[in-house]
């Protein structure tokens, strides 16, 4: 029996706050953006209201830019218009002046 490491652990640091947060995501789809209705709210004026989504599919986690104005950068590459990008440990995702770092995966 294989153990699925399907919980995604994300470190989020926003320019608007001296603090940071660690978010643990269960398999699902999560909208990231400035809008208070987003699943992960990033208080950064350079992040679009609906900026990107992180989602779980076929046993893997992905991120996709959803038409943001300033782009979503994964390890320095703008992923606008590139579709879903698989997430790996230690990837750095930049949106505006905010950073998400993929800290790892754990069993549910």
């Amino acid at each position: 029996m294989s153990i699925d490491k399907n919980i995604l652990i994300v470190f989020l640091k926003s320019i608007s706050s001296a603090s940071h947060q660690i978010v643990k995501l269960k398999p699902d789809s999560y909208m990231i953006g400035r809008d208070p209705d987003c699943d992960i709210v990033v208080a950064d004026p350079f992040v679009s209201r609906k900026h990107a989504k992180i989602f779980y599919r076929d046993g893997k986690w992905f991120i996709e830019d959803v038409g943001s104005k300033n782009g979503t950068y994964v390890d320095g590459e703008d992923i606008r218009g590139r579709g879903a990008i698989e997430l790996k440990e230690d990837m750095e995702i930049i949106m505006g002046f905010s950073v998400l770092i993929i800290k790892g995966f754990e069993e549910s």
Side-chain angles (χ1 to χ4, degrees), residues 14-27:
S14 178
I15 61 161
S16 65
S17 168
S19 65
H20 63 275
Q21 62 180 322
I22 302 264
V23 181
K24 291 187 177 185
L25 304 176
K26 294 180 179 178

Side-chain angles (χ1 to χ4, degrees), residues 14 26 29-30 35 49 54-55 67 82 90 94 101 105:
S14 178
K26 294 180 179 178
S29 180
Y30 300 89
D35 191 302
R49 291 184 188 281
I54 287 178
F55 60 96
R82 291 189 41 201
D90 295 325
I94 297 175
I101 298 172
F105 307 87

Side-chain angles (χ1 to χ4, degrees), residues 48-84:
S48 297
R49 291 184 188 281
K50 290 190 173 24
H51 196 100
K53 69 178 176 178
I54 287 178
F55 60 96
Y56 187 78
R57 182 177 65 209
D58 300 328
K60 297 177 183 176
W61 282 96
F62 298 89
I63 189 165
E64 185 172 4
D65 186 278
V66 294
S68 70
K69 181 179 178 185
N70 294 316
T72 302
Y73 294 81
V74 176
D75 290 339
E77 285 188 46
D78 189 347
I79 64 164
R80 281 181 284 190
R82 291 189 41 201

Side-chain angles (χ1 to χ4, degrees), residues 12 14 21 31-44 47:
L12 171 62
S14 178
Q21 62 180 322
M31 186 60 65
I32 305 167
R34 228 177 48 239
D35 191 302
D37 289 334
C38 286
D39 302 299
I40 301 171
V41 178
V42 180
D44 177 335
V47 169

